[in-house]
């Protein structure tokens, strides 16, 4: 996993509450091998018109948006299907952090496992940021995980990033979780032996 | 001492029983009893191969082909496209490579993972179950902790049989009263989600309680827990009781007769203690719930079938007003229009929400010799449900009414096997998601119960099943 420490970037605001993972990547693209790159599928059907051409009015298609690595989203972003393809699409597009009032639980975890930081900010702050971006589209935001702080543009201030300490540690170091867990293998095996002894049907 | 005797919720008890250790910075390392795999899990297998690892406990992994399988035949080359066929074949290859017990497309046990797992006794009370599918919450209906995970987490489970997880908050949803005629578990969930919102239970595990739930069959409880995720709860649970034990007994992967008494004695202890405190309590009066239907593009956009398409200006938050305006545009609906009588193009009866035998019985009982006036398909949740429906004469009733009777799979719920609702078409569907494009690009979905779907098919429009 790619480590995340600090990221400063312009921000693209993606409108819509309950933006589900079917919007982030439609199901029909989930067959693709990751090596193909999932960035091309990001927001596929809402980013394009019926002819498949990029819709210039979609925020991600506007001039200057291509270099932004931070998204601003609305409530319950990434709800719905557990498809990790939604996060692959963000990663392969170059997104490093997503700021929003709330996220789907599975999406949130998937993001962390792929080095994308989901930043939960109170809805008022998200709305203030959206208003600011509407006036100053080039304004930058800094997500600093080392300091657990996000700095918003203008006079919108600096806010704490509330994130599980364990997840923060893993993503700061770009830690491989499987390898980390292997260091606990003795405890896992001892636990397992007891569990299977009392639940013999698990071993059939 | 206080620790050991403090009253606990069912979630707390099962969680504690699976906690191998707690990391100093918070999350628990949980033991996973059973992991379910489907075709979409290929990323996790690719990850294992890259690392030179194999599934650590293949006996505790179960694979089933469901998301991509064709419903017109039982061979991978019946699939809509060669790329889809390849997904089904790759699944078999991965399962064989990993030495994992699996139910491929032609197997008798095949079915939608959350339908076939309870059916085969893979889902049991007290277990910690994961599957890389968000509707894994379904399986909590038997008194298990069951939750959806992503592919990175899935690879971790395959490699270690464990997962790092922070304990969710708890929410009890108490549904008292008695459900009226024509009102089902599906309607209860749409009513709940309309009440608390699609983000309403985020970060929480829901335990369903109350008279309605105690009276409900396991199949109804599976529907409740299935749609927990549509309220953003990754976990849905119902306390195991006599109904549960009777359901589980004798199933293929359940405890044997020799193991039975010991298992049940343990399961009885898992229920929430009387004094246990939930982080949130929500109540619904079951007697007040009517058959429900969605009008928008989120499951929270649900009203009674007697209701009307709302006016965006009636919503409090500006975000929701914008979202409603957008979804009405997508759904091509005008505020104030009555839902009862709204013309449809298609009906889909299926998905892990509503494709079990009781669902099919309920839908078939509405037909009474009448014919579908619009294209309608029935996709049983499992090959076993299909066989049972054929044995009971239900399949014939559907066919005589002009419904297409298909092989089991996810089908038009996620539309990734090629069964799609066309652009602009309006479909009454017993599935769980009315998201933009979920049933195909441009498709317009109205979520309903199986009986409501059957009523819609014979009248060609959304219809209050209580009138039929
Ligand atoms: S039926 Fe639909 S919701 Fe259920 S597992 Fe399949 S695709 Fe997912």
């Amino acid at each position: 996993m790619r480590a995340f420490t600090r990221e400063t970037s312009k921000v693209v605001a993606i409108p819509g509450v309950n933006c589900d993972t079917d919007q982030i990547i439609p199901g029909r693209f989930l067959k693709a091998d990751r090596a193909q790159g999932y960035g091309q599928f990001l927001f596929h059907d809402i980013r394009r018109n019926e002819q498949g051409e990029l819709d210039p009015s979609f925020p991600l298609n506007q001039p200057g948006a291509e270099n932004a690595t931070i998204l601003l989203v609305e409530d319950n972003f990434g709800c719905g299907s557990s498809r990790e393809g939604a996060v692959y699409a963000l990663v392969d597009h170059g997104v490093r952090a997503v700021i929003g009032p709330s996220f789907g639980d599975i999406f949130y975890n998937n993001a962390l496992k792929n080095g994308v930081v989901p930043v939960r900010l109170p809805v008022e702050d998200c709305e203030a940021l959206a208003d600011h971006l509407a006036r100053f589209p080039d304004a930058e935001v800094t997500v600093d995980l080392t300091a657990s702080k996000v700095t918003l543009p203008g006079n919108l201030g600096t806010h704490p990033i509330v994130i599980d300490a364990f997840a923060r540690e893993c993503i700061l170091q770009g830690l491989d979780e499987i390898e980390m867990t292997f260091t606990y293998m003795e405890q896992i095996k001892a636990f397992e032996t007891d569990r299977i002894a009392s639940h013999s049907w698990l071993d059939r | 001492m206080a620790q050991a005797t403090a009253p606990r919720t069912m979630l707390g008890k099962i969680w504690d029983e699976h906690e191998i250790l707690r990391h100093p910075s918070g999350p628990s390392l949980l033991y996973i009893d059973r992991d379910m795999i489907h075709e979409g899990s290929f990323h996790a297998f690719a990850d294992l191969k890259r690392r030179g690892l194999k599934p650590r406990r293949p006996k505790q992994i179960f694979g089933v082909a469901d998301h991509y399988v064709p419903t017109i035949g039982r061979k991978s080359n019946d699939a809509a496209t060669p790329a889809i066929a390849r997904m089904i074949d790759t699944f078999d290859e991965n399962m064989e490579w990993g030495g994992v017990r699996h139910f491929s497309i032609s197997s008798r046990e095949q079915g939608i993972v959350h339908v076939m797992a309870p059916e085969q006794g893979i889902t049991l009370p007290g277990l910690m179950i994961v599957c890389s599918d968000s509707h894994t919450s379904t399986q909590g209906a038997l008194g298990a902790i069951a939750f959806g995970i992503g592919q990175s987490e899935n690879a971790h489970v395959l490699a270690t049989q464990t997962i790092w997880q922070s304990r969710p908050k708890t929410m009890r949803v108490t549904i008292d009263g008695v459900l009226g005629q024509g009102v089902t578990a599906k309607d209860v969930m749409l009513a709940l989600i309309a009440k608390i919102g699609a983000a309403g239970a985020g970060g929480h595990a829901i335990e369903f309680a109350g008279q309605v739930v105690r009276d409900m069959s396991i199949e109804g409880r599976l529907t409740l827990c299935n749609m927990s995720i549509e309220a953003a709860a990754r976990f849905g649970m119902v306390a195991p009781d006599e109904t549960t034990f009777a359901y589980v007994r004798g199933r293929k992967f359940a405890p044997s007769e020799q193991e039975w008494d010991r298992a049940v004695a343990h399961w009885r202890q898992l229920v929430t203690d009387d004094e246990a405190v939930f982080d949130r309590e929500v109540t619904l009066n079951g007697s007040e719930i009517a058959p429900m239907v969605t009008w928008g593009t989120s499951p929270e956009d649900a009203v009674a079938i007697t209701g009307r398409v709302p006016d965006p200006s009636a919503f409090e938050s500006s975000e929701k007003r914008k979202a409603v305006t957008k979804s009405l545009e997508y759904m091509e609906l005008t505020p104030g229009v009555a839902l009862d009588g709204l013309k449809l193009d298609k009906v889909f009866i299926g998905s892990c929400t509503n494709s079990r035998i009781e669902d099919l019985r309920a839908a078939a009982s509405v037909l009474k010799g009448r014919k579908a006036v619009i294209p309608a398909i029935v996709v049983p949740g499992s090959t076993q449900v299909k066989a049972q429906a054929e044995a009971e004469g239900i399949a014939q009733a559907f066919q005589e009414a002009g419904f297409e009777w298909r092989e089991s799979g996810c089908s038009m719920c996620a539309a990734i096997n090629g069964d799609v609702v066309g652009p602009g078409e309006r479909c009454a569907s017993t599935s769980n998601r009315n998201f933009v494009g979920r049933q195909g690009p441009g498709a317009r979905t109205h979520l309903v119960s199986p009986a409501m779907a059957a009523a819609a098919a014979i009248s060609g429009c959304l219809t209050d099943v209580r009138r039929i």
Side-chain angles (χ1 to χ4, degrees):
Chain A
M1 177 174 74
R2 185 168 164 201
F4 185 111
T5 46
R6 192 168 189 276
E7 184 79 14
T8 298
S9 164
K10 287 197 282 196
V11 179
V12 177
I14 305 292
V17 287
N18 299 324
C19 180
D20 57 79
T21 54
D22 275 80
Q23 307 318 306
I24 304 174
I25 180 171
R28 62 186 186 279
F29 299 120
L30 298 172
K31 297 185 288 297
D33 198 312
R34 180 71 189 276
Q36 269 178 253
Y38 270 50
Q40 53 184 316
F41 309 131
L42 182 65
F43 297 118
H44 189 281
D45 291 357
I46 48 177
R47 210 184 155 185
R48 289 175 170 74
N49 62 21
E50 270 144 42
Q51 286 71 48
E53 297 148 356
L54 291 177
D55 167 2
S57 71
F58 190 75
L60 215 55
N61 301 336
Q62 283 160 12
E66 59 285 356
N67 305 322
T69 59
I70 300 176
L71 301 184
L72 171 66
V73 299
E74 295 184 15
D75 221 8
N76 205 21
F77 184 80
C79 61
S81 156
S82 63
R83 59 189 66 171
E84 199 160 315
V87 177
Y88 301 157
L90 290 169
V91 170
D92 293 356
H93 182 82
V95 174
R96 303 246 49 217
V98 185
I99 301 171
S102 71
F103 299 93
D105 286 351
I106 306 177
F107 171 85
Y108 186 89
N109 282 354
N110 286 344
L112 290 171
K113 308 286 178 202
N114 287 277
V116 172
V117 177
V119 181
R120 290 190 185 113
L121 274 193
V123 68
E124 308 77 57
D125 296 319
C126 290
E127 281 172 356
L129 176 56
D131 288 347
H132 188 90
L133 292 172
R135 283 178 293 137
F136 308 101
D138 289 333
E140 290 191 328
V141 163
T142 297
V143 175
D144 185 350
L145 199 58
T146 336
S148 293
K149 282 197 168 79
V150 52
T151 304
L152 303 184
N155 58 2
L156 299 178
T158 292
H159 305 262
I161 299 176
V162 183
I163 181 173
D164 181 89
F166 177 78
R168 176 174 170 272
E169 209 49 44
C170 289
I171 200 166
L172 274 175
Q173 298 175 31
L175 204 69
D176 186 284
E177 215 177 77
I178 293 183
E179 272 166 28
M180 194 258 302
T181 305
F182 276 152
T183 65
Y184 296 103
M185 199 40 86
E186 258 173 56
Q187 276 156 282
I188 295 172
K189 282 185 177 158
F191 183 96
E192 185 168 71
T193 306
D194 288 351
R195 177 90 190 144
I196 301 291
S198 60
H199 292 71
S200 38
W201 50 92
L202 291 177
D203 204 32
R204 282 210 295 270
Chain B
M1 162 104 180
Q3 194 70 9
T5 54
R8 289 182 299 167
T9 62
M10 171 167 53
L11 177 106
K13 291 182 187 182
I14 303 175
W15 190 282
D16 291 347
E17 198 179 301
H18 288 83
E19 186 174 74
I20 301 166
L21 57 93
R22 199 173 304 169
H23 196 272
S25 63
S28 311
L29 184 63
L30 298 176
Y31 190 72
I32 299 301
D33 293 314
R34 285 174 170 167
D35 181 10
M36 302 289 304
I37 303 292
H38 57 83
E39 305 98 302
S41 311
F42 72 99
H43 291 289
F45 279 81
D47 192 355
L48 287 189
K49 288 175 185 172
R50 207 164 36 238
R51 294 164 182 271
L53 296 172
K54 287 255 181 178
R56 201 180 139 256
R57 298 280 304 169
K59 282 183 184 171
Q60 289 165 253
I61 319 289
F62 294 80
V64 66
D66 59 359
H67 281 69
Y68 287 87
V69 297
T71 53
I72 50 162
R74 290 287 86 167
K75 294 188 303 295
S76 64
N77 59 14
D78 293 321
T81 68
I84 294 175
R86 208 170 321 121
M87 288 295 288
I88 304 164
D89 294 335
T90 304
F91 165 77
D92 284 341
E93 285 157 26
N94 278 332
M95 295 295 103
E96 271 145 38
W97 169 83
V100 172
R101 178 159 29 205
H102 65 293
F103 308 105
S104 52
I105 176 168
S106 58
S107 143
R108 257 188 309 147
E109 295 91 345
Q110 184 276 344
I112 304 171
V113 54
H114 314 304
V115 176
M116 65 75 66
E119 200 171 75
Q120 297 300 323
I122 297 168
T123 313
L124 295 170
L127 295 191
M128 184 72 71
I129 300 166
V130 293
C131 171
S132 51
D133 186 279
S134 60
H135 290 97
T136 308
S137 60
T138 314
Q139 302 186 39
L142 296 179
I145 294 184
F147 58 104
I149 58 174
Q151 293 307 336
S152 299
E153 290 179 309
N154 194 19
H156 187 278
V157 173
L158 290 168
T160 67
Q161 206 58 33
T162 67
I163 197 166
W164 292 98
Q165 209 67 204
S166 298
R167 192 186 291 241
K169 287 186 269 187
T170 53
M171 174 191 286
R172 177 159 54 194
V173 174
T174 305
I175 310 150
D176 277 318
V178 181
L179 297 184
Q181 177 238 336
V183 180
T184 67
K186 176 65 156 286
D187 304 300
V188 171
M189 282 314 284
L190 289 174
L192 173 69
I193 300 162
K195 176 175 169 143
I196 67 173
H204 287 75
I206 296 180
E207 179 175 338
F208 293 95
Q211 195 57 43
V212 165
V213 181
R214 279 194 297 277
D215 290 346
M216 207 176 254
S217 68
I218 292 299
E219 301 204 351
R221 295 177 189 180
L222 287 161
T223 302
L224 292 183
C225 293
N226 174 274
M227 290 203 59
S228 305
I229 185 71
E230 307 316 329
R234 200 148 55 116
F235 312 78
M237 309 176 84
V238 176
D241 60 7
E242 297 310 321
T243 308
T244 317
F245 307 145
Y247 176 90
V248 164
R249 193 165 192 163
R251 294 191 185 258
K252 189 163 174 189
F253 296 99
S256 65
E257 284 304 308
Q258 293 77 45
E259 295 159 329
W260 186 252
D261 291 344
R262 179 160 56 96
V264 172
H266 179 58
W267 295 342
R268 286 189 199 285
Q269 292 164 11
L270 298 175
V271 301
T272 295
D273 295 326
D274 288 343
E275 310 294 311
V277 178
F278 287 78
D279 297 302
R280 262 183 83 189
E281 296 271 6
V282 172
T283 56
L284 280 185
N285 182 347
S287 312
E288 284 172 4
I289 299 171
M292 301 287 288
V293 57
T294 61
W295 47 263
T297 55
S298 163
E300 71 184 18
D301 301 336
V303 291
I305 180 66
T306 49
R308 289 173 183 276
V309 176
D311 194 318
S313 66
F315 292 85
E316 231 168 81
S317 91
S318 70
E319 283 185 348
K320 186 65 190 172
R321 282 198 294 273
K322 267 187 270 162
V324 170
T325 306
K326 227 166 94 189
S327 58
L328 292 187
E329 203 180 289
Y330 179 81
M331 294 295 290
E332 213 176 45
L333 288 175
T334 326
V337 165
L339 287 158
D340 195 342
L342 185 70
K343 275 218 156 319
L344 297 165
D345 301 298
K346 251 199 179 103
V347 167
F348 168 61
I349 299 178
S351 92
C352 56
T353 310
N354 281 134
S355 63
R356 286 167 281 268
I357 192 71
E358 289 173 14
D359 297 317
L360 303 191
R361 283 184 196 136
S365 72
V366 172
L367 303 175
K368 299 195 189 103
R370 284 168 289 201
K371 300 263 185 247
V373 296
I374 49 175
I377 78 168
V378 186
V379 183
S382 72
T383 302
Q384 193 170 301
V385 168
K386 177 169 185 271
Q388 189 175 348
E390 286 168 356
E392 291 184 15
I394 291 170
Q396 292 77 344
F398 280 122
Q399 283 166 321
E400 277 160 23
F403 286 66
E404 274 188 67
W405 179 249
R406 298 286 187 92
E407 302 284 347
S408 110
C410 293
S411 182
M412 220 174 263
C413 169
I416 54 182
N417 76 331
D419 296 343
V420 298
V421 176
E425 282 189 329
R426 192 179 293 287
C427 179
S429 175
T430 66
S431 54
N432 41 56
R433 290 185 173 143
N434 51 347
F435 297 164
V436 168
R438 170 79 175 181
Q439 294 195 287
R444 301 183 177 125
T445 304
H446 295 275
L447 301 177
V448 290
S449 74
M452 285 281 285
I458 55 179
S459 49
C461 54
L462 291 174
T463 302
D464 190 338
V465 66
R466 295 171 297 187
R467 250 202 345 261
I468 295 275

